[in-house]
Amino acid sequence: MSMENTGMIKYSMLEEFNLGTGQATGRKKRNDPADPDYVPPKYDPENCPVPPLATISSNKLQVRIAYTGSQFISFSHVEIAPWDKSSSTPAIYNDKCLVLPGQTLDLLAQPQKHVAEWWKINLVSSNFSKKLSLNLIIRYTTVDGVQDLITTTVDINTGKVWDHILLPRTTSGGVNLLEFILADTTIPSVENIPPVANAGADVSVFVEDEPAVQLQGSGTDGDGYIVSWHWDKIVGPVAFQLSDANVAQPIITGLVAGLYKFRLTVTDNRGAIGQDEVSIMVDAREATTNGTLLAYVDSLAQQAFITQIELRPNGDGDMITLLDTPLGSTDGALLKTPPKGTYDMYVTIAGTAGSVKADYQQKAVCQPYQGEGLYIFHDVTIGDGAEGVAVTLSSGSCGDEPVTLIYAKLTITNNTITEQALLPFGKKIVRSANVNVRFYQDAALTQPATANVLLNYRITTTDAVTAGTRVLDTYTQVTNTDSILLTRDRGEAVYDLSLDPEKQLLSDTDITYELLPGVGYKVIS
């Protein structure tokens, strides 16, 4: 099927042929992107003479909601994706969204690579606090000019899909802006009761049984009817086959050991959605959940010790501590069996060595010795046996050019506190400051240095109301600069002034920042 003015042929069905005779078997199936036989769209100059535009890699896309009204408005689903969405070009935004009165909200933390010309936009509203309809303009801005692509109204619990929106890239590159401009009307919104989805009961099976699991989806709508069903895998291994993602009760085969979660989305006749999830636990009858970590100090590194190895799941969560006593060159190899998973690995070194090395997933990551302290390895995947990880403290170097060590210093300046109204009955106190990191050639911090490093740092968020603390270890790329602004966020306090005085403070977060060691730099406290 040819799509107008794209120069592309998109195949909706596949027909089976006998490989030996070349004769059709009569069997046909949907051309599903999840199918191993999927045939992607391609340029066909004979049937579609308009050639597709070449990729312009320097273009980036930012998505923004600009709201001038006085309501709290929520969307149960906002999706912005290339119109032929696939695993290689997924949605750049696919989530819920809450917009505060008068708020301008960037949906992307930073502009994303502008990967396509044609896009699909799916906007499903949920609730508006004052029950007023909204005017919506979808505006697209590049260096070449401004276009208003869509002008429409939005009511409560309704959905709108624009399946073929042209967002052209520019030859000069830069950041292009897709903007959803919202304003209140004086017209009461037509309310729609959203449908209710039921994904069925959770399921447990064994991989050895080669299970075929039929999902038990259903849905109801109190003031209309269900027009579509759709299943998405949201958690789980890559391997599986779904007979049809767009029916209520498809069959899943090809499952491997692991936990799968599938989400059912039902859509009613006014575009509102309902969602529910179901878990499928696929166990191996003799499966092990533990991985393998081998730690070793080179026999020639007689003055060096591994004093601790710690694992933090995906940079966030509770640390797993592996060593009870320091490991030296005379101790031999030490075997540990932490749970399988992907971690940030923290290796603490004492004494003098040449390098710290981690071998995992058929690759080796080596960090030159820079003195006693912490060495961090990001995204280390630990399996069992040959899929485990080996940590070596070596007397030798990494084999690269010598590392020129620079010094990093974190400073916090320009602390400010501002108060903002949260209509209709709240307020927010925002704490901000310039959290800067500067780089120097010397430990006395007198000579600036140009840095090209992966900078590790820790964000600690404490809520005075709940007494909860969240620690996130992360990193950012520093390129050809002697200083960077990490952030201005130092926390906020949110109040509901309609409550009794002792209950008005809903949350009160304080955020602190700490530099962590890394390759090519040393932290100065």
Side-chain angles (χ1 to χ4, degrees):
M1 179 176 64
S2 175
M3 303 300 296
E4 183 180 1
N5 292 332
T6 66
M8 304 294 287
I9 294 289
K10 184 177 182 181
Y11 304 94
S12 60
M13 298 293 293
L14 297 180
E15 185 173 359
E16 184 181 65
F17 287 81
N18 187 293
L19 189 61
T21 65
Q23 299 297 313
T25 66
R27 289 197 292 259
K28 296 182 180 181
K29 65 177 181 179
R30 292 168 56 90
N31 188 30
D32 190 334
D35 195 309
D37 297 326
Y38 175 63
V39 180
K42 69 177 182 179
Y43 175 49
D44 187 330
E46 181 176 347
N47 293 318
C48 288
V50 179
L53 295 177
T55 299
I56 305 174
S57 59
S58 60
N59 277 240
K60 292 187 176 182
L61 184 64
Q62 179 58 280
V63 181
R64 178 176 298 160
I65 293 178
Y67 176 49
T68 59
S70 61
Q71 305 185 82
F72 288 82
I73 59 176
S74 60
F75 295 93
S76 58
H77 184 62
V78 178
E79 181 180 12
I80 298 122
W83 71 271
D84 183 44
K85 181 178 64 176
S86 66
S87 59
S88 60
T89 55
I92 62 171
Y93 189 87
N94 189 8
D95 205 347
K96 300 176 181 178
C97 181
L98 172 65
V99 185
L100 303 180
Q103 185 179 24
T104 296
L105 177 66
D106 285 338
L107 295 186
L108 307 178
Q110 58 187 11
Q112 300 293 307
K113 184 177 179 181
H114 195 151
V115 297
E117 300 285 325
W118 295 94
W119 292 76
K120 175 182 178 180
I121 299 174
N122 188 358
L123 186 70
V124 183
S125 63
S126 180
N127 192 27
F128 309 155
S129 61
K130 293 185 177 179
K131 311 300 183 184
L132 297 176
S133 292
L134 301 175
N135 285 326
L136 167 65
I137 298 174
I138 300 180
R139 179 171 294 167
Y140 182 58
T141 304
T142 70
V143 293
D144 294 337
V146 179
Q147 292 179 281
D148 286 348
L149 306 175
I150 303 291
T151 300
T152 187
T153 58
V154 180
D155 286 309
I156 293 173
N157 286 323
T158 57
K160 294 179 181 290
V161 178
W162 297 277
D163 200 34
H164 203 208
I165 298 291
L166 176 61
L167 304 180
R169 290 165 286 190
T170 66
T171 56
S172 56
V175 177
N176 306 322
L177 176 63
L178 178 64
E179 203 168 11
F180 296 81
I181 300 173
L182 293 164
D184 292 344
T185 71
T186 59
I187 303 172
S189 173
V190 177
E191 294 200 40
N192 175 43
I193 300 174
V196 177
N198 184 344
D202 293 342
V203 178
S204 295
V205 294
F206 290 105
V207 67
E208 291 87 351
D209 298 333
E210 298 183 0
V213 177
Q214 183 166 23
L215 297 173
Q216 300 297 315
S218 61
T220 57
D221 187 45
D223 61 349
Y225 51 91
I226 306 298
V227 297
S228 68
W229 315 76
H230 185 75
W231 292 90
D232 288 296
K233 188 196 77 172
I234 55 175
V235 172
V238 173
F240 75 97
Q241 292 181 349
L242 192 62
S243 61
D244 189 341
N246 299 306
V247 297
Q249 298 184 351
I251 296 175
I252 306 177
T253 56
L255 298 167
V256 298
L259 174 64
Y260 293 82
K261 285 189 177 181
F262 290 86
R263 177 188 291 133
L264 171 63
T265 301
V266 298
T267 305
D268 72 7
N269 55 304
R270 295 200 61 208
I273 63 172
Q275 294 182 322
D276 192 28
E277 297 174 8
V278 63
S279 297
I280 301 176
M281 186 67 218
V282 185
D283 286 316
R285 287 190 171 90
E286 298 180 359
T288 175
T289 61
N290 290 336
T292 302
L293 185 145
L294 191 69
Y296 177 71
V297 178
D298 182 353
S299 61
L300 298 179
Q302 298 178 4
Q303 304 301 316
F305 297 87
I306 300 175
T307 60
Q308 191 53 265
I309 299 176
E310 296 173 299
L311 305 174
R312 186 188 294 278
N314 293 319
D316 189 13
D318 295 333
M319 282 282 197
I320 300 173
T321 301
L322 298 181
L323 296 191
D324 299 318
T325 58
L327 180 68
S329 60
T330 61
D331 294 321
L334 177 69
L335 178 65
K336 292 291 183 177
T337 56
K340 293 178 182 177
T342 300
Y343 302 89
D344 284 352
M345 182 170 68
Y346 299 74
V347 182
T348 305
I349 302 302
T352 303
S355 60
V356 187
K357 182 179 178 183
D359 293 275
Y360 58 94
Q361 296 292 301
Q362 299 181 344
K363 66 180 179 181
V365 179
C366 186
Q367 297 193 31
Y369 178 76
Q370 298 176 22
E372 295 183 330
L374 191 63
Y375 292 76
I376 303 174
F377 296 84
H378 293 289
D379 298 327
V380 176
T381 300
I382 300 179
D384 61 352
E387 300 299 320
V389 60
V391 179
T392 305
L393 181 57
S394 175
S395 60
S397 68
C398 290
D400 299 324
E401 293 297 322
V403 174
T404 301
L405 188 64
I406 61 176
Y407 298 85
K409 173 74 173 179
L410 185 145
T411 59
I412 297 177
T413 59
N414 297 333
N415 285 284
T416 60
I417 297 176
T418 58
E419 185 171 317
Q420 302 174 5
L422 291 180
L423 299 176
F425 40 69
K427 72 174 182 178
K428 178 166 65 174
I429 296 176
V430 178
R431 293 181 284 272
S432 59
N434 292 335
V435 182
N436 295 290
V437 180
R438 298 185 181 277
F439 300 92
Y440 299 89
Q441 299 178 25
D442 58 324
L445 310 181
T446 62
Q447 297 294 324
T450 299
N452 289 278
V453 297
L454 200 66
L455 182 69
N456 300 312
Y457 61 99
R458 175 170 294 166
I459 306 171
T460 303
T461 304
T462 303
D463 192 327
V465 174
T466 65
T469 299
R470 181 175 183 267
V471 177
L472 173 65
D473 289 348
T474 186
Y475 53 92
T476 187
Q477 181 69 54
V478 180
T479 305
N480 294 331
T481 185
D482 62 1
S483 66
I484 63 167
L485 176 66
L486 276 184
T487 182
R488 284 189 50 79
D489 187 11
R490 293 300 309 277
E492 64 181 24
V494 178
Y495 294 81
D496 184 344
L497 302 180
S498 68
L499 302 177
D500 294 335
E502 68 275 9
K503 297 179 180 179
Q504 288 181 0
L505 182 60
L506 303 181
S507 66
D508 187 3
T509 56
D510 179 71
I511 304 176
T512 60
Y513 301 87
E514 174 190 0
L515 290 185
L516 299 176
V519 176
Y521 68 91
K522 186 175 181 64
V523 176
I524 301 296
S525 59

